[in-house]
Amino acid sequence: MIKIFKYGEVANEEIFARVIPTMDVEAIVADIIATVRKDGDKALYFYSEKFDKAKLNSLQVSPEEIQEAVNSVEPKFLKILKKAAANITKFHEKQKRNSFIINDEDGIVVGQKIIPVDRAGLYVPGGTAAYPSTVLMDAIPAKIAGCKEVVMVTPPNSQGKVNPYILAAAYVAGVDKIFKVGGAQAVAALAYGTESVPKVDKIVGPGNAFVAEAKKQVFGKVSIDMIAGPSEILIVADGKSNPQHMAADLLSQAEHDKLASAVLVTNSNDLAVAVQKELEVQIPKLERQEIARASIDNNGKIIVADDIMRAIEIANEIAPEHLELCVDNPFDYLDAVRHAGSIFMGRNCPEALGDYLAGPNHTLPTSGTAKFSSPLSVDDFVKKTQYTYYTAKALSRVGKDVAFFAEKEGLTAHAKSAVIRLK
């Protein structure tokens, strides 16, 4: 059963304690990466058979396999995929940045170019749960950014097939190449390239502990989006909130993972008790009740605070991946929220809206990193290059200043490179 805490009556360490996965995978992942670097495709075939029980004839998903998958899924699902893709596109189009140029002094031009990365790599889970929504959320911003090629990796099943719903989402999102490979070996293949899998410039997407560790180890060789931890939801709710709704929303994240964190912060003791009871009604009805039970019992919390502003202060300290504001006039509190991956406003906005259809990205910072990092966006798939141009006359006005500054840093060659042009 979920625990109820009264804020101020227990130590903050207990309220703000986080789940820290303890699986030691560093050495295993390092060995996998080294093997893929050495053996290329041969290693990918080997690990697919070892981990996924799949004997593959080829690594790349063929156009025929993609079309077969698209034809096999329900027309209603395809329609929803396209609706979600349209919303995601509309939201992320607003994130596009423009290059700029400054030319307001005679003989001086400075500017900045926005350039997409050449090739983006998407990791899409396909093991215990398959997430076509992740395909849309990761591929569409890359396409909007203008990446020349978007490459997706996802694990096959034991028959060597990729989940058809994932392939249908890739088709809708316009993914260029898809490979049947998962785990740390897929990350290694994207980072270093193999005979079949092209080397990418950026790797994005969630995965298990092995995938997260692999992304961590290849960072620097390629860019990555983030090291994702277990899923999180925090709900700030007043006493008017429906306890059935609150319990359902907590469980929407608890069913992801036994390590997932579901937290309710409320100013109502009555709501706290009602939600605690309602969770016990709803958990036994879930298909993934074993996972949800472990998450709620081990990591779930209900915190009773004095008022809603105090509840938001607690939320800011936790900096959750998903934050629901289940209160009257939620926009009155929006500016008070400083640390959250994505905010869901009001009583009619369950977190699941953001997972699938609303448009904002669902690849979000976890484990408190919302204090300093952001959701996946078009910005993740572009880089900035700046440029400078001075005429001889413009340099003559500032060359001695440049030299003087350089000499103060003890860099006389820097200084000379400026003054030598003034003669």
Side-chain angles (χ1 to χ4, degrees), residues 241-263:
S241 298
N242 185 320
Q244 291 180 322
H245 298 175
M246 300 301 94
D249 291 0
L250 292 171
L251 291 172
S252 73
Q253 292 306 292
E255 73 170 352
H256 264 301
D257 187 339
K258 291 181 179 181
L259 296 175
S261 170
V263 178

Side-chain angles (χ1 to χ4, degrees), residues 55-76:
K55 276 196 160 188
L56 301 176
N57 295 317
S58 64
L59 294 170
Q60 187 168 355
V61 177
S62 68
E64 292 76 20
E65 288 175 288
I66 296 171
Q67 194 57 57
E68 181 184 350
V70 171
N71 294 340
S72 72
V73 303
E74 303 92 326
K76 180 179 180 180

Side-chain angles (χ1 to χ4, degrees), residues 39-111:
D39 295 336
D41 282 358
K42 180 182 175 183
L44 300 182
Y45 284 114
F46 169 78
Y47 287 125
S48 289
E49 186 169 357
K50 179 177 180 180
F51 297 130
D52 301 313
K53 312 303 179 190
K55 276 196 160 188
L56 301 176
N57 295 317
S58 64
L59 294 170
Q60 187 168 355
V61 177
S62 68
E64 292 76 20
E65 288 175 288
I66 296 171
Q67 194 57 57
E68 181 184 350
V70 171
N71 294 340
S72 72
V73 303
E74 303 92 326
K76 180 179 180 180
F77 182 71
L78 271 179
K79 185 177 180 181
I80 293 171
L81 274 179
K82 291 173 182 177
K83 183 177 181 180
N87 290 342
I88 295 164
T89 299
K90 181 166 64 174
F91 181 86
H92 289 80
E93 283 278 1
K94 295 290 187 182
Q95 297 175 337
K96 290 172 70 174
R97 294 174 180 262
N98 295 317
S99 301
F100 66 80
I101 186 169
I102 301 172
N103 186 20
D104 54 9
E105 286 189 62
D106 186 38
I108 299 174
V109 180
V110 294

Side-chain angles (χ1 to χ4, degrees), residues 4 238-243 264 266-278 302 304:
I4 297 177
D238 61 22
K240 298 179 185 177
S241 298
N242 185 320
L264 170 67
T266 179
N267 62 341
S268 168
N269 192 68
D270 288 345
L271 180 67
V273 173
V275 171
Q276 185 185 50
K277 292 178 180 177
E278 182 61 29
I302 298 176
V304 180

Side-chain angles (χ1 to χ4, degrees), residues 202-224:
K202 177 117 188 187
I203 300 173
V204 306
N208 61 19
F210 292 91
V211 171
E213 176 62 27
K215 287 169 70 177
K216 182 178 178 182
Q217 290 190 26
V218 301
F219 175 65
K221 181 66 177 177
V222 293
S223 176
I224 63 171

Side-chain angles (χ1 to χ4, degrees), residues 344-360:
F344 300 85
M345 310 285 286
R347 304 185 203 281
N348 302 304
C349 195
E351 181 276 332
L353 266 175
D355 273 350
Y356 301 113
L357 209 65

